[in-house]
Amino acid sequence: MHGADFDNGPVLFISDLHLSSAQPVLTALFRHFCAHEGRAARAVFILGDLFDYWVHRNQAAEAPYAEILALLHDMQKQGTTVYLMVGNRDFALEAGFLAQFGVVALPDPTLLQLGDQRILLTHGDLLCSDDHRYQRFRRVIRHPLTRLTLGRLPYAWLQRIARGLRRGSSREVRAKASAITDANPQTIVAALHGEGAFALDGAPYDILVHGHTHRPVWEQGPAGRRMVLGAWGADGAQIGRWENGQWSLQLLSPP
């Protein structure tokens, strides 16, 4: 992917919004973002977990999902290119479905060229290589046979399964050491070098941008720079910004 069409930006990077009917304050924050920062941007990259969970396109007819998808579509129609990479909670979102709302689906990982910089975009869960239990679960739940089996279940069943998995995941995260749920330093270096799952044409990369860990930072590491996006909450969110060749991690304040 090339950034020539973005000129000098701004280009925004967000992740881990976890939007759902359970937290209307987050929907209000997203509504505010779309009307202001998002609409003023040349492009918005959503790097996973737009929704707290997504199991079926039937959700698109429910609140607040219908409004959220309409906001994305409106932002695109106003001239902002919207890209979306699925995360660990909304990986069932399909490219064809997103295209109905003008959203461009991205594979994980994706290489983005902005000016003379090569940026590796990823949701971030693949970087948490010390969490062996999660990585096994990730391989199983995303396997085509698993996806096919789940796709045949009634929507109500899928909702119950998703809620159960969500509760179990929250308990596990609280019980695990913080280092296990964070990005592994060696895996970060490997990603910037373009090794393993991060091997794409254009490696090595200058900058790694990801979410998932909920530990926002903009830092220089041994292999390149890394920007970690923040999770959205009632007090706002840390989002990434590229404009006129300059990078920043900025606070998105509540309306």
Side-chain angles (χ1 to χ4, degrees):
M1 172 184 291
H2 299 282
D5 293 338
F6 302 145
D7 294 329
N8 292 320
V11 177
L12 304 179
F13 301 84
I14 62 177
S15 72
D16 302 285
L17 289 71
H18 307 306
L19 302 178
S20 73
S21 57
Q23 296 213 56
V25 66
L26 298 184
T27 302
L29 180 58
F30 183 66
R31 190 184 302 121
H32 179 77
F33 168 82
C34 291
H36 297 88
E37 290 86 356
R39 187 162 293 187
R42 295 299 303 271
V44 171
F45 286 82
I46 305 170
L47 300 186
D49 289 354
L50 170 66
F51 299 113
D52 199 42
Y53 71 86
W54 184 272
V55 295
H56 197 278
R57 60 178 57 204
N58 282 2
Q59 283 180 242
E62 302 173 357
Y65 308 105
E67 179 190 0
I68 293 163
L69 292 166
L71 288 169
L72 291 173
H73 204 183
D74 288 344
M75 195 161 49
Q76 181 271 332
K77 288 188 286 188
Q78 291 292 328
T80 301
T81 308
V82 181
Y83 299 90
L84 186 144
M85 177 184 292
V86 299
N88 55 295
R89 299 188 186 182
D90 55 10
F91 63 87
L93 283 167
E94 299 171 339
F97 172 78
L98 292 170
Q100 298 176 35
F101 304 94
V103 177
V104 181
L106 295 178
D108 186 0
T110 285
L111 174 63
L112 171 66
Q113 185 85 27
L114 287 177
D116 60 354
Q117 294 179 319
R118 299 179 302 277
I119 298 97
L120 179 66
L121 306 177
T122 184
H123 173 55
D125 55 342
L126 285 171
L127 298 167
C128 302
S129 53
D130 290 330
D131 195 344
H132 304 297
R133 181 181 174 89
Y134 168 75
Q135 295 299 337
R136 287 193 296 270
F137 172 77
R138 187 186 192 277
R139 289 191 292 270
V140 171
I141 199 69
R142 299 200 188 198
H143 192 281
L145 288 178
T146 305
R147 295 286 303 276
L148 180 63
T149 301
L150 291 174
R152 291 175 174 172
L153 294 177
Y155 177 45
W157 289 21
L158 290 171
Q159 287 181 304
R160 286 196 292 271
I161 291 171
R163 287 192 290 265
L165 289 173
R166 180 72 189 91
R167 288 191 297 269
S169 174
S170 296
R171 287 193 299 269
E172 283 205 11
V173 169
R174 288 193 297 268
K176 290 174 181 175
S178 60
I180 292 178
T181 58
D182 200 359
N184 176 283
Q186 287 73 38
T187 307
I188 292 170
V189 171
L192 281 162
H193 286 166
E195 299 172 2
F198 304 97
L200 301 171
D201 290 340
Y205 320 113
D206 302 300
I207 299 172
L208 169 63
V209 180
H210 70 88
H212 181 68
T213 63
H214 303 181
R215 297 171 171 91
V217 70
W218 174 225
E219 64 180 5
Q220 175 67 52
R225 303 211 72 180
R226 180 172 73 120
M227 177 174 283
V228 185
L229 310 171
W232 288 39
D235 56 349
Q238 293 286 340
I239 68 174
R241 184 183 185 94
W242 177 89
E243 186 171 12
N244 295 317
Q246 300 298 312
W247 287 87
S248 61
L249 194 61
Q250 66 179 53
L251 175 65
L252 173 66
S253 300

